[in-house]
Amino acid sequence: MNTIPVFDGHNDTLLNLHLPDRGEGRSFFERSDLGHIDLIRAREGGFGGGFFACYTPNPEDDGWTEESALTVTENGYEVSRASSLDPEYARGFADGLVKDLYRLEEESDGALQVVRTADELEGCLRNGIVAAILHFEGAENLGPAPRALETYYEAGLRSLGIVWSRPNAYVEGVPFRFPSSPDTGSGLTGAGRELVRECNRLGVLIDLSHLNERGFWEVAELSEAPLVATHSNAHALCPASRNLTDRQLDAIRDSDGMLGVNFAVGFLRGDGGESEDTTLETVVRQIDYLVERTGIDRVGFGSDFDGAKVPEGIGDVSGLPNVLAALRAADYDEASLSKLAHENWVRVLRATWRG
Ligand SMILES: [Zn+2]
């Protein structure tokens, strides 16, 4: 029986519950077979909480999805570039998701709490309360200048993916390709540099997942905070554009940052394939590699629950104990498991946040 709470670097549960065609009317408070996270399955899986992403799909993409835009190539795939998003629309949509999160907190009757400090996060983990970090995946909703960040900070925002896999006013995201280097485009704009400084000033975590390599290095140079990729894997084992090269992993290690292992099968597997028939050993192999490269203090989980296809041995959030069991079987001791499960996230968030 797993007793270690798992705090997780990325889920798309807010979007899944928000969009009728995704969540199909399921409730966060009732057990469902749809999606990956609800409160009941969260408790079964020992889910201590995580980064709850506010992500805005582009209505102008006219049916663009990662699947429909996908072209199969000789030994992989290429997804045509997603077009940029209207900031005004993004603001309205993301504000809706922020409201959804606070509504969940209110309706949860104390079972879920939006956390703003490392102490609050630790308190939730101790007391079995699901801890939710308000996270934006893509900064379009801030508008063309990063001044709005402070307003959202006051509203509880503590983590910002400055870009998703499409260009915005701040930087270019990395398109989905396999096999491909993450070095796919240009770096930070002037406003992007200002945004990084503003995140540092307020103590908002900067998420490097979905950023192209050039942008990554520019943030690494500029930012004073530990480098963090909330849901990315090792490029050496799965050469998808979304994964991180050894040099990038070394930079994360040297900054005393961390990364969350993504359970999306396409970012785990050596062949980049999309099959749920992906073993837990594949997950363990990624973790082994990342731990070897960056250290046991710099790896955690970043499941991508409710946003990606995950191995059938995990299934949904209730399957988290299976991941811990596979790690135990691979000789990780309890102290190491606690680090991977939540202690590393707590450490990095404490080092990044102002409180
Ligand atoms: Zn993502």
Side-chain angles (χ1 to χ4, degrees), residues 81 84 138-140 143-144 160-174 185-193 195-196 206-219:
R81 180 175 289 270
S84 51
E140 285 90 348
L160 176 68
I162 56 176
V163 76
W164 185 72
S165 290
R166 61 190 166 205
N168 66 21
Y170 303 105
V171 71
E172 254 184 60
V174 68
S186 57
L188 293 167
T189 62
R193 302 179 69 80
L195 181 60
V196 169
I206 300 167
D207 179 13
L208 300 168
S209 290
H210 290 282
L211 188 53
N212 67 39
E213 190 173 354
R214 183 145 170 219
F216 177 100
W217 291 118
E218 291 183 2
V219 174

mmCIF file of all heavy atoms in Angstrom, residues 81 84 138-140 143-144 160-174 185-193 195-196 206-219:
data_model
loop_
_atom_site.group_PDB
_atom_site.id
_atom_site.type_symbol
_atom_site.label_atom_id
_atom_site.label_comp_id
_atom_site.label_asym_id
_atom_site.label_seq_id
_atom_site.Cartn_x
_atom_site.Cartn_y
_atom_site.Cartn_z
ATOM 1 N N ARG A 81 2.538 23.405 -37.509
ATOM 2 C CA ARG A 81 2.617 24.394 -36.433
ATOM 3 C C ARG A 81 1.234 24.950 -36.079
ATOM 4 O O ARG A 81 0.470 25.335 -36.951
ATOM 5 C CB ARG A 81 3.522 25.532 -36.903
ATOM 6 C CG ARG A 81 3.701 26.643 -35.911
ATOM 7 C CD ARG A 81 4.705 27.622 -36.453
ATOM 8 N NE ARG A 81 6.039 27.034 -36.436
ATOM 9 C CZ ARG A 81 6.871 27.136 -35.392
ATOM 10 N NH1 ARG A 81 6.521 27.781 -34.321
ATOM 11 N NH2 ARG A 81 8.064 26.596 -35.437
ATOM 12 N N SER A 84 -0.920 31.213 -33.752
ATOM 13 C CA SER A 84 -0.932 31.936 -32.484
ATOM 14 C C SER A 84 -2.368 32.285 -32.089
ATOM 15 O O SER A 84 -3.292 32.247 -32.892
ATOM 16 C CB SER A 84 -0.033 33.163 -32.542
ATOM 17 O OG SER A 84 -0.343 33.919 -33.671
ATOM 18 N N GLY A 138 1.069 28.672 -21.295
ATOM 19 C CA GLY A 138 1.020 29.677 -22.358
ATOM 20 C C GLY A 138 0.647 31.005 -21.730
ATOM 21 O O GLY A 138 -0.234 31.064 -20.868
ATOM 22 N N ALA A 139 1.338 32.085 -22.155
ATOM 23 C CA ALA A 139 1.159 33.392 -21.515
ATOM 24 C C ALA A 139 0.343 34.359 -22.367
ATOM 25 O O ALA A 139 0.309 35.556 -22.100
ATOM 26 C CB ALA A 139 2.524 34.001 -21.197
ATOM 27 N N GLU A 140 -0.358 33.842 -23.383
ATOM 28 C CA GLU A 140 -1.129 34.716 -24.275
ATOM 29 C C GLU A 140 -2.090 35.612 -23.512
ATOM 30 O O GLU A 140 -2.293 36.777 -23.850
ATOM 31 C CB GLU A 140 -1.940 33.890 -25.273
ATOM 32 C CG GLU A 140 -1.129 33.277 -26.385
ATOM 33 C CD GLU A 140 -0.605 31.896 -26.041
ATOM 34 O OE1 GLU A 140 -0.680 31.491 -24.865
ATOM 35 O OE2 GLU A 140 -0.112 31.221 -26.961
ATOM 36 N N GLY A 143 -1.677 39.250 -22.424
ATOM 37 C CA GLY A 143 -1.612 40.336 -23.392
ATOM 38 C C GLY A 143 -0.185 40.497 -23.869
ATOM 39 O O GLY A 143 0.691 39.705 -23.530
ATOM 40 N N PRO A 144 0.078 41.553 -24.674
ATOM 41 C CA PRO A 144 1.395 41.686 -25.293
ATOM 42 C C PRO A 144 2.493 42.173 -24.355
ATOM 43 O O PRO A 144 3.668 42.135 -24.688
ATOM 44 C CB PRO A 144 1.149 42.710 -26.404
ATOM 45 C CG PRO A 144 -0.045 43.473 -25.958
ATOM 46 C CD PRO A 144 -0.866 42.566 -25.110
ATOM 47 N N LEU A 160 4.051 29.730 -14.374
ATOM 48 C CA LEU A 160 3.724 30.198 -15.714
ATOM 49 C C LEU A 160 4.548 29.459 -16.767
ATOM 50 O O LEU A 160 5.780 29.523 -16.755
ATOM 51 C CB LEU A 160 4.013 31.710 -15.810
ATOM 52 C CG LEU A 160 3.802 32.347 -17.185
ATOM 53 C CD1 LEU A 160 2.320 32.368 -17.552
ATOM 54 C CD2 LEU A 160 4.371 33.764 -17.208
ATOM 55 N N GLY A 161 3.857 28.740 -17.642
ATOM 56 C CA GLY A 161 4.506 28.223 -18.842
ATOM 57 C C GLY A 161 4.503 29.390 -19.815
ATOM 58 O O GLY A 161 3.443 29.763 -20.312
ATOM 59 N N ILE A 162 5.661 29.988 -20.063
ATOM 60 C CA ILE A 162 5.638 31.236 -20.841
ATOM 61 C C ILE A 162 5.175 30.985 -22.272
ATOM 62 O O ILE A 162 4.793 31.904 -22.978
ATOM 63 C CB ILE A 162 6.995 31.979 -20.812
ATOM 64 C CG1 ILE A 162 8.133 31.085 -21.289
ATOM 65 C CG2 ILE A 162 7.279 32.502 -19.417
ATOM 66 C CD1 ILE A 162 9.456 31.838 -21.355
ATOM 67 N N VAL A 163 5.157 29.738 -22.686
ATOM 68 C CA VAL A 163 4.680 29.433 -24.032
ATOM 69 C C VAL A 163 4.164 27.997 -24.075
ATOM 70 O O VAL A 163 4.613 27.138 -23.308
ATOM 71 C CB VAL A 163 5.824 29.632 -25.060
ATOM 72 C CG1 VAL A 163 6.828 28.494 -25.020
ATOM 73 C CG2 VAL A 163 5.303 29.823 -26.487
ATOM 74 N N TRP A 164 3.151 27.750 -24.927
ATOM 75 C CA TRP A 164 2.773 26.394 -25.297
ATOM 76 C C TRP A 164 3.370 26.182 -26.693
ATOM 77 O O TRP A 164 4.079 27.063 -27.202
ATOM 78 C CB TRP A 164 1.244 26.224 -25.282
ATOM 79 C CG TRP A 164 0.808 24.803 -25.543
ATOM 80 C CD1 TRP A 164 0.935 23.743 -24.672
ATOM 81 C CD2 TRP A 164 0.223 24.296 -26.739
ATOM 82 N NE1 TRP A 164 0.461 22.609 -25.277
ATOM 83 C CE2 TRP A 164 0.016 22.907 -26.538
ATOM 84 C CE3 TRP A 164 -0.148 24.866 -27.958
ATOM 85 C CZ2 TRP A 164 -0.542 22.084 -27.519
ATOM 86 C CZ3 TRP A 164 -0.703 24.052 -28.934
ATOM 87 C CH2 TRP A 164 -0.900 22.681 -28.709
ATOM 88 N N SER A 165 3.091 25.055 -27.328
ATOM 89 C CA SER A 165 3.740 24.754 -28.613
ATOM 90 C C SER A 165 3.174 25.574 -29.777
ATOM 91 O O SER A 165 2.683 25.029 -30.768
ATOM 92 C CB SER A 165 3.621 23.256 -28.891
ATOM 93 O OG SER A 165 4.452 22.539 -27.998
ATOM 94 N N ARG A 166 3.218 26.888 -29.623
ATOM 95 C CA ARG A 166 2.827 27.821 -30.689
ATOM 96 C C ARG A 166 3.491 29.151 -30.355
ATOM 97 O O ARG A 166 3.854 29.391 -29.209
ATOM 98 C CB ARG A 166 1.297 27.957 -30.740
ATOM 99 C CG ARG A 166 0.705 28.505 -29.465
ATOM 100 C CD ARG A 166 -0.826 28.417 -29.428
ATOM 101 N NE ARG A 166 -1.297 28.640 -28.060
ATOM 102 C CZ ARG A 166 -2.441 28.195 -27.585
ATOM 103 N NH1 ARG A 166 -3.263 27.500 -28.329
ATOM 104 N NH2 ARG A 166 -2.808 28.446 -26.343
ATOM 105 N N PRO A 167 3.666 30.012 -31.340
ATOM 106 C CA PRO A 167 4.337 31.283 -31.041
ATOM 107 C C PRO A 167 3.426 32.228 -30.258
ATOM 108 O O PRO A 167 2.210 32.189 -30.434
ATOM 109 C CB PRO A 167 4.635 31.850 -32.434
ATOM 110 C CG PRO A 167 3.832 31.067 -33.415
ATOM 111 C CD PRO A 167 3.311 29.840 -32.746
ATOM 112 N N ASN A 168 4.003 33.040 -29.383
ATOM 113 C CA ASN A 168 3.235 34.123 -28.755
ATOM 114 C C ASN A 168 4.099 35.385 -28.696
ATOM 115 O O ASN A 168 5.169 35.424 -29.311
ATOM 116 C CB ASN A 168 2.684 33.699 -27.382
ATOM 117 C CG ASN A 168 3.759 33.451 -26.325
ATOM 118 O OD1 ASN A 168 4.883 33.925 -26.438
ATOM 119 N ND2 ASN A 168 3.398 32.701 -25.300
ATOM 120 N N ALA A 169 3.634 36.403 -27.982
ATOM 121 C CA ALA A 169 4.335 37.694 -27.975
ATOM 122 C C ALA A 169 5.688 37.597 -27.268
ATOM 123 O O ALA A 169 6.515 38.501 -27.376
ATOM 124 C CB ALA A 169 3.471 38.746 -27.273
ATOM 125 N N TYR A 170 5.925 36.500 -26.569
ATOM 126 C CA TYR A 170 7.106 36.409 -25.710
ATOM 127 C C TYR A 170 8.212 35.509 -26.263
ATOM 128 O O TYR A 170 9.384 35.755 -26.062
ATOM 129 C CB TYR A 170 6.680 35.916 -24.318
ATOM 130 C CG TYR A 170 5.637 36.820 -23.705
ATOM 131 C CD1 TYR A 170 4.293 36.436 -23.632
ATOM 132 C CD2 TYR A 170 5.991 38.084 -23.248
ATOM 133 C CE1 TYR A 170 3.338 37.300 -23.088
ATOM 134 C CE2 TYR A 170 5.047 38.946 -22.712
ATOM 135 C CZ TYR A 170 3.723 38.547 -22.629
ATOM 136 O OH TYR A 170 2.794 39.392 -22.120
ATOM 137 N N VAL A 171 7.808 34.448 -26.951
ATOM 138 C CA VAL A 171 8.779 33.458 -27.419
ATOM 139 C C VAL A 171 8.044 32.461 -28.325
ATOM 140 O O VAL A 171 6.817 32.490 -28.434
ATOM 141 C CB VAL A 171 9.441 32.763 -26.199
ATOM 142 C CG1 VAL A 171 8.489 31.849 -25.479
ATOM 143 C CG2 VAL A 171 10.734 32.040 -26.566
ATOM 144 N N GLU A 172 8.814 31.556 -28.950
ATOM 145 C CA GLU A 172 8.194 30.533 -29.803
ATOM 146 C C GLU A 172 8.179 29.195 -29.088
ATOM 147 O O GLU A 172 9.199 28.783 -28.546
ATOM 148 C CB GLU A 172 9.041 30.359 -31.064
ATOM 149 C CG GLU A 172 8.448 30.961 -32.302
ATOM 150 C CD GLU A 172 9.314 30.651 -33.508
ATOM 151 O OE1 GLU A 172 9.505 29.461 -33.818
ATOM 152 O OE2 GLU A 172 9.804 31.614 -34.121
ATOM 153 N N GLY A 173 7.032 28.529 -29.130
ATOM 154 C CA GLY A 173 6.973 27.185 -28.552
ATOM 155 C C GLY A 173 7.564 26.172 -29.518
ATOM 156 O O GLY A 173 7.749 26.439 -30.703
ATOM 157 N N VAL A 174 7.863 24.977 -29.009
ATOM 158 C CA VAL A 174 8.434 23.933 -29.852
ATOM 159 C C VAL A 174 7.297 23.122 -30.489
ATOM 160 O O VAL A 174 6.395 22.660 -29.792
ATOM 161 C CB VAL A 174 9.401 23.046 -29.023
ATOM 162 C CG1 VAL A 174 8.696 22.212 -27.961
ATOM 163 C CG2 VAL A 174 10.225 22.158 -29.916
ATOM 164 N N GLY A 185 13.434 27.049 -33.399
ATOM 165 C CA GLY A 185 12.986 28.405 -33.744
ATOM 166 C C GLY A 185 13.709 29.461 -32.939
ATOM 167 O O GLY A 185 14.728 29.191 -32.304
ATOM 168 N N SER A 186 13.121 30.660 -32.964
ATOM 169 C CA SER A 186 13.804 31.808 -32.360
ATOM 170 C C SER A 186 13.532 31.893 -30.861
ATOM 171 O O SER A 186 12.657 31.211 -30.329
ATOM 172 C CB SER A 186 13.361 33.090 -33.061
ATOM 173 O OG SER A 186 11.967 33.212 -32.980
ATOM 174 N N GLY A 187 14.291 32.771 -30.208
ATOM 175 C CA GLY A 187 14.251 32.876 -28.751
ATOM 176 C C GLY A 187 13.323 33.973 -28.248
ATOM 177 O O GLY A 187 12.341 34.326 -28.899
ATOM 178 N N LEU A 188 13.652 34.491 -27.076
ATOM 179 C CA LEU A 188 12.806 35.470 -26.398
ATOM 180 C C LEU A 188 12.738 36.790 -27.159
ATOM 181 O O LEU A 188 13.749 37.270 -27.671
ATOM 182 C CB LEU A 188 13.375 35.761 -25.003
ATOM 183 C CG LEU A 188 13.354 34.626 -23.971
ATOM 184 C CD1 LEU A 188 14.239 35.006 -22.778
ATOM 185 C CD2 LEU A 188 11.932 34.346 -23.506
ATOM 186 N N THR A 189 11.557 37.383 -27.204
ATOM 187 C CA THR A 189 11.420 38.754 -27.698
ATOM 188 C C THR A 189 11.789 39.700 -26.547
ATOM 189 O O THR A 189 12.027 39.245 -25.418
ATOM 190 C CB THR A 189 9.966 39.029 -28.113
ATOM 191 O OG1 THR A 189 9.143 38.898 -26.933
ATOM 192 C CG2 THR A 189 9.495 38.043 -29.178
ATOM 193 N N GLY A 190 11.792 40.997 -26.825
ATOM 194 C CA GLY A 190 12.041 41.977 -25.755
ATOM 195 C C GLY A 190 11.028 41.803 -24.632
ATOM 196 O O GLY A 190 11.374 41.810 -23.443
ATOM 197 N N ALA A 191 9.758 41.620 -25.013
ATOM 198 C CA ALA A 191 8.704 41.424 -24.003
ATOM 199 C C ALA A 191 8.928 40.113 -23.257
ATOM 200 O O ALA A 191 8.635 40.009 -22.062
ATOM 201 C CB ALA A 191 7.329 41.423 -24.675
ATOM 202 N N GLY A 192 9.480 39.114 -23.953
ATOM 203 C CA GLY A 192 9.777 37.836 -23.318
ATOM 204 C C GLY A 192 10.825 37.980 -22.223
ATOM 205 O O GLY A 192 10.705 37.398 -21.141
ATOM 206 N N ARG A 193 11.838 38.786 -22.512
ATOM 207 C CA ARG A 193 12.889 39.013 -21.511
ATOM 208 C C ARG A 193 12.305 39.734 -20.293
ATOM 209 O O ARG A 193 12.613 39.403 -19.149
ATOM 210 C CB ARG A 193 14.043 39.829 -22.119
ATOM 211 C CG ARG A 193 14.671 39.151 -23.337
ATOM 212 C CD ARG A 193 15.793 39.991 -23.937
ATOM 213 N NE ARG A 193 16.947 40.055 -23.059
ATOM 214 C CZ ARG A 193 17.857 39.079 -22.965
ATOM 215 N NH1 ARG A 193 17.745 37.998 -23.700
ATOM 216 N NH2 ARG A 193 18.865 39.204 -22.146
ATOM 217 N N LEU A 195 9.255 39.546 -19.328
ATOM 218 C CA LEU A 195 8.386 38.591 -18.622
ATOM 219 C C LEU A 195 9.204 37.702 -17.677
ATOM 220 O O LEU A 195 8.787 37.435 -16.547
ATOM 221 C CB LEU A 195 7.613 37.728 -19.630
ATOM 222 C CG LEU A 195 6.651 36.695 -19.043
ATOM 223 C CD1 LEU A 195 5.570 37.341 -18.184
ATOM 224 C CD2 LEU A 195 5.998 35.866 -20.160
ATOM 225 N N VAL A 196 10.370 37.255 -18.134
ATOM 226 C CA VAL A 196 11.233 36.425 -17.285
ATOM 227 C C VAL A 196 11.640 37.207 -16.028
ATOM 228 O O VAL A 196 11.570 36.700 -14.904
ATOM 229 C CB VAL A 196 12.483 35.959 -18.067
ATOM 230 C CG1 VAL A 196 13.518 35.321 -17.137
ATOM 231 C CG2 VAL A 196 12.075 34.975 -19.169
ATOM 232 N N ILE A 206 8.880 29.678 -13.552
ATOM 233 C CA ILE A 206 8.875 29.693 -15.020
ATOM 234 C C ILE A 206 8.989 28.255 -15.506
ATOM 235 O O ILE A 206 9.976 27.579 -15.233
ATOM 236 C CB ILE A 206 10.072 30.508 -15.567
ATOM 237 C CG1 ILE A 206 10.018 31.955 -15.064
ATOM 238 C CG2 ILE A 206 10.104 30.453 -17.101
ATOM 239 C CD1 ILE A 206 11.320 32.720 -15.291
ATOM 240 N N ASP A 207 7.965 27.791 -16.219
ATOM 241 C CA ASP A 207 7.962 26.409 -16.719
ATOM 242 C C ASP A 207 8.565 26.380 -18.129
ATOM 243 O O ASP A 207 8.093 27.076 -19.034
ATOM 244 C CB ASP A 207 6.520 25.893 -16.738
ATOM 245 C CG ASP A 207 6.432 24.477 -17.258
ATOM 246 O OD1 ASP A 207 7.475 23.808 -17.373
ATOM 247 O OD2 ASP A 207 5.290 24.044 -17.540
ATOM 248 N N LEU A 208 9.606 25.567 -18.303
ATOM 249 C CA LEU A 208 10.325 25.513 -19.580
ATOM 250 C C LEU A 208 9.806 24.431 -20.527
ATOM 251 O O LEU A 208 10.287 24.338 -21.667
ATOM 252 C CB LEU A 208 11.818 25.290 -19.312
ATOM 253 C CG LEU A 208 12.479 26.391 -18.464
ATOM 254 C CD1 LEU A 208 13.852 25.952 -17.993
ATOM 255 C CD2 LEU A 208 12.575 27.687 -19.249
ATOM 256 N N SER A 209 8.860 23.600 -20.086
ATOM 257 C CA SER A 209 8.278 22.613 -20.999
ATOM 258 C C SER A 209 7.560 23.366 -22.132
ATOM 259 O O SER A 209 6.970 24.413 -21.888
ATOM 260 C CB SER A 209 7.272 21.715 -20.265
ATOM 261 O OG SER A 209 7.940 20.859 -19.362
ATOM 262 N N HIS A 210 7.611 22.876 -23.336
ATOM 263 C CA HIS A 210 7.002 23.479 -24.534
ATOM 264 C C HIS A 210 7.829 24.619 -25.142
ATOM 265 O O HIS A 210 7.462 25.176 -26.177
ATOM 266 C CB HIS A 210 5.570 23.987 -24.307
ATOM 267 C CG HIS A 210 4.554 22.911 -24.126
ATOM 268 N ND1 HIS A 210 4.040 22.202 -25.190
ATOM 269 C CD2 HIS A 210 3.961 22.410 -23.021
ATOM 270 C CE1 HIS A 210 3.156 21.319 -24.722
ATOM 271 N NE2 HIS A 210 3.100 21.413 -23.415
ATOM 272 N N LEU A 211 8.936 24.988 -24.498
ATOM 273 C CA LEU A 211 9.791 26.048 -25.045
ATOM 274 C C LEU A 211 10.803 25.420 -26.012
ATOM 275 O O LEU A 211 11.236 24.301 -25.808
ATOM 276 C CB LEU A 211 10.523 26.695 -23.859
ATOM 277 C CG LEU A 211 11.353 27.944 -24.058
ATOM 278 C CD1 LEU A 211 10.564 29.032 -24.751
ATOM 279 C CD2 LEU A 211 11.834 28.455 -22.693
ATOM 280 N N ASN A 212 11.157 26.143 -27.069
ATOM 281 C CA ASN A 212 12.192 25.596 -27.957
ATOM 282 C C ASN A 212 13.570 25.763 -27.309
ATOM 283 O O ASN A 212 13.722 26.428 -26.283
ATOM 284 C CB ASN A 212 12.113 26.225 -29.354
ATOM 285 C CG ASN A 212 12.482 27.697 -29.350
ATOM 286 O OD1 ASN A 212 13.387 28.122 -28.648
ATOM 287 N ND2 ASN A 212 11.776 28.486 -30.141
ATOM 288 N N GLU A 213 14.584 25.162 -27.903
ATOM 289 C CA GLU A 213 15.886 25.114 -27.216
ATOM 290 C C GLU A 213 16.528 26.494 -27.085
ATOM 291 O O GLU A 213 17.120 26.824 -26.069
ATOM 292 C CB GLU A 213 16.829 24.144 -27.936
ATOM 293 C CG GLU A 213 18.071 23.905 -27.085
ATOM 294 C CD GLU A 213 19.000 22.826 -27.616
ATOM 295 O OE1 GLU A 213 18.641 22.156 -28.611
ATOM 296 O OE2 GLU A 213 20.084 22.664 -27.038
ATOM 297 N N ARG A 214 16.387 27.290 -28.129
ATOM 298 C CA ARG A 214 17.002 28.621 -28.049
ATOM 299 C C ARG A 214 16.384 29.438 -26.914
ATOM 300 O O ARG A 214 17.072 30.092 -26.134
ATOM 301 C CB ARG A 214 16.821 29.327 -29.402
ATOM 302 C CG ARG A 214 17.468 30.645 -29.433
ATOM 303 C CD ARG A 214 18.051 30.982 -30.795
ATOM 304 N NE ARG A 214 18.435 32.379 -30.770
ATOM 305 C CZ ARG A 214 18.281 33.212 -31.779
ATOM 306 N NH1 ARG A 214 17.789 32.776 -32.927
ATOM 307 N NH2 ARG A 214 18.641 34.462 -31.666
ATOM 308 N N GLY A 215 15.053 29.383 -26.830
ATOM 309 C CA GLY A 215 14.365 30.069 -25.731
ATOM 310 C C GLY A 215 14.827 29.543 -24.384
ATOM 311 O O GLY A 215 15.028 30.308 -23.431
ATOM 312 N N PHE A 216 14.988 28.227 -24.301
ATOM 313 C CA PHE A 216 15.456 27.591 -23.055
ATOM 314 C C PHE A 216 16.781 28.210 -22.601
ATOM 315 O O PHE A 216 16.934 28.604 -21.445
ATOM 316 C CB PHE A 216 15.626 26.084 -23.288
ATOM 317 C CG PHE A 216 16.171 25.312 -22.104
ATOM 318 C CD1 PHE A 216 15.321 24.598 -21.272
ATOM 319 C CD2 PHE A 216 17.537 25.285 -21.831
ATOM 320 C CE1 PHE A 216 15.820 23.879 -20.183
ATOM 321 C CE2 PHE A 216 18.045 24.575 -20.749
ATOM 322 C CZ PHE A 216 17.180 23.866 -19.925
ATOM 323 N N TRP A 217 17.732 28.308 -23.541
ATOM 324 C CA TRP A 217 19.058 28.824 -23.156
ATOM 325 C C TRP A 217 19.000 30.295 -22.780
ATOM 326 O O TRP A 217 19.737 30.748 -21.906
ATOM 327 C CB TRP A 217 20.076 28.569 -24.271
ATOM 328 C CG TRP A 217 20.372 27.107 -24.425
ATOM 329 C CD1 TRP A 217 20.145 26.333 -25.527
ATOM 330 C CD2 TRP A 217 20.923 26.219 -23.424
ATOM 331 N NE1 TRP A 217 20.501 25.031 -25.275
ATOM 332 C CE2 TRP A 217 20.992 24.925 -24.003
ATOM 333 C CE3 TRP A 217 21.346 26.387 -22.110
ATOM 334 C CZ2 TRP A 217 21.474 23.825 -23.300
ATOM 335 C CZ3 TRP A 217 21.832 25.285 -21.412
ATOM 336 C CH2 TRP A 217 21.889 24.024 -22.012
ATOM 337 N N GLU A 218 18.121 31.029 -23.437
ATOM 338 C CA GLU A 218 18.022 32.455 -23.099
ATOM 339 C C GLU A 218 17.416 32.649 -21.712
ATOM 340 O O GLU A 218 17.854 33.511 -20.952
ATOM 341 C CB GLU A 218 17.228 33.189 -24.194
ATOM 342 C CG GLU A 218 18.042 33.237 -25.487
ATOM 343 C CD GLU A 218 17.356 34.000 -26.606
ATOM 344 O OE1 GLU A 218 16.252 34.543 -26.396
ATOM 345 O OE2 GLU A 218 17.937 34.035 -27.706
ATOM 346 N N VAL A 219 16.406 31.822 -21.379
ATOM 347 C CA VAL A 219 15.854 31.897 -20.017
ATOM 348 C C VAL A 219 16.922 31.468 -19.012
ATOM 349 O O VAL A 219 17.104 32.094 -17.962
ATOM 350 C CB VAL A 219 14.587 31.018 -19.862
ATOM 351 C CG1 VAL A 219 14.124 30.993 -18.406
ATOM 352 C CG2 VAL A 219 13.457 31.517 -20.760
#
